[in-house]
Amino acid sequence: MAKGLFDCSGKVTVVTGGNGGIGLGFAMGVARMGGDVAIWARNAEKNAKAKAELEAAGARKVIAYQVDVSEEGNIVEGYGRVMEDFGRVDCVFANSGAAPRYNSVFDMPAEHWYDFQKTALHGAFFTLREGARLMKARAEAGEKGGSLVACGSLSLFHGLPGKQEYAASKCAVAATIRCLAVELGEHGIRANVVAPGLIITPMMGDRGDAIAQAMGPAIPLKRTGYPADFEGIGAYLCSDASSFMTGETITIDGGYMVRP
């Protein structure tokens, strides 16, 4: 029986790119609500640090795996290891991505376009598909349910000069999520997108504070976002509290999309 509205105990959540930034924010929300967390990321040192933080926050069990989601085979193998260690998958946050590099479409080499999609689009698709496969099998065995979540961005709505590779991947994954919501609803599996606004992450380094000071005043809540702002939505989408929400795009942006 659930201990609270956002209770995640007994649920196993896979978070790609879960050792930092927004991914760690998602994972932390699940951890604080007593869930089990499987982190997939490439950096062993960051994985170990994130694992310790999630355990301290209240996660029942945390395992950090070195998984590169740019190849389908790595994803299939990663889920195999999760099933061996946890026995089930209840929630997936497809969060791994890459940062755009160019300021004009004319500067972007074809090689960069294709390489970018290996993680941002193809990696997200196969992560969601293989997670859904496990959830569907469990539903057919008599236990319906599951939550698939993709990390989008405000580029789903706004044009970004020179960021076509980034925006295209986010839009494609959002369309994939809507298709999954329709196809898998009969199994009690829901699928949603979280679209962050401007979020200050450790990846920004020393630039983070300057960006926050420059851009914060343009946001209705008068500040930029931080990974901790995703803990609540992470717990909500993992827990049964979101059992009737599917096919949605949820903006976490401090009100940026509705400003005058």
Side-chain angles (χ1 to χ4, degrees):
M1 180 176 291
K3 300 175 183 177
L5 186 60
F6 289 178
D7 180 44
C8 296
S9 59
K11 296 186 184 296
V12 177
T13 297
V14 174
V15 186
T16 69
N19 64 4
I22 293 172
L24 183 56
F26 287 138
M28 192 63 71
V30 174
R32 293 191 192 283
M33 293 295 103
D36 296 345
V37 182
I39 291 172
W40 289 6
R42 294 180 293 182
N43 187 300
E45 184 177 349
K46 288 179 64 178
N47 281 0
K49 183 175 183 293
K51 179 179 186 296
E53 292 176 2
L54 292 167
E55 289 172 339
R60 190 185 70 88
K61 180 178 180 179
V62 182
I63 299 180
Y65 304 86
Q66 283 187 275
V67 179
D68 181 351
V69 300
S70 66
E71 297 292 340
E72 179 185 4
N74 296 340
I75 293 168
V76 173
E77 180 182 352
Y79 275 118
R81 293 165 65 191
V82 170
M83 290 299 288
E84 288 177 2
D85 292 332
F86 291 91
R88 60 188 294 127
V89 173
D90 297 278
C91 184
V92 173
F93 287 91
N95 171 75
S96 289
R101 301 182 192 172
Y102 300 95
N103 294 318
S104 171
V105 65
F106 303 112
D107 296 332
M108 190 184 304
E111 180 181 350
H112 170 74
W113 171 273
Y114 289 117
D115 188 61
F116 190 94
Q117 305 308 335
K118 288 173 65 177
T119 296
L121 173 53
H122 307 320
F125 171 75
F126 291 124
T127 296
L128 293 165
R129 187 191 69 181
E130 295 307 308
R133 193 188 304 277
L134 297 172
M135 295 174 187
K136 180 174 180 287
R138 189 174 71 246
E140 291 174 340
E143 186 184 352
K144 289 187 174 184
S147 179
L148 301 167
V149 185
C151 187
S153 86
L154 297 192
S155 66
L156 296 174
F157 317 104
H158 290 169
L160 299 175
K163 307 299 186 283
Q164 287 82 2
E165 84 283 51
Y166 177 80
S169 70
K170 295 298 186 182
C171 290
V173 172
T176 296
I177 281 286
R178 290 190 288 272
C179 293
L180 289 169
V182 173
E183 181 173 350
L184 300 175
E186 65 180 298
H187 303 294
I189 301 168
R190 55 204 190 275
N192 294 285
V193 179
V194 174
L198 179 56
I199 311 302
I200 306 302
T201 69
M203 186 183 299
M204 294 177 177
D206 295 338
R207 298 182 303 118
D209 288 342
I211 293 171
Q213 291 177 11
M215 300 300 294
I219 297 169
L221 286 181
K222 303 306 177 187
R223 70 172 179 88
T224 54
Y226 293 88
D229 292 311
F230 293 83
E231 294 180 11
I233 196 66
Y236 171 68
L237 290 174
C238 174
S239 74
D240 292 338
S242 60
S243 62
F244 200 55
M245 172 177 277
T246 195
E248 291 296 323
T249 297
I250 306 158
T251 56
I252 307 292
D253 66 351
Y256 188 85
M257 282 292 295
V258 297
R259 65 200 171 114

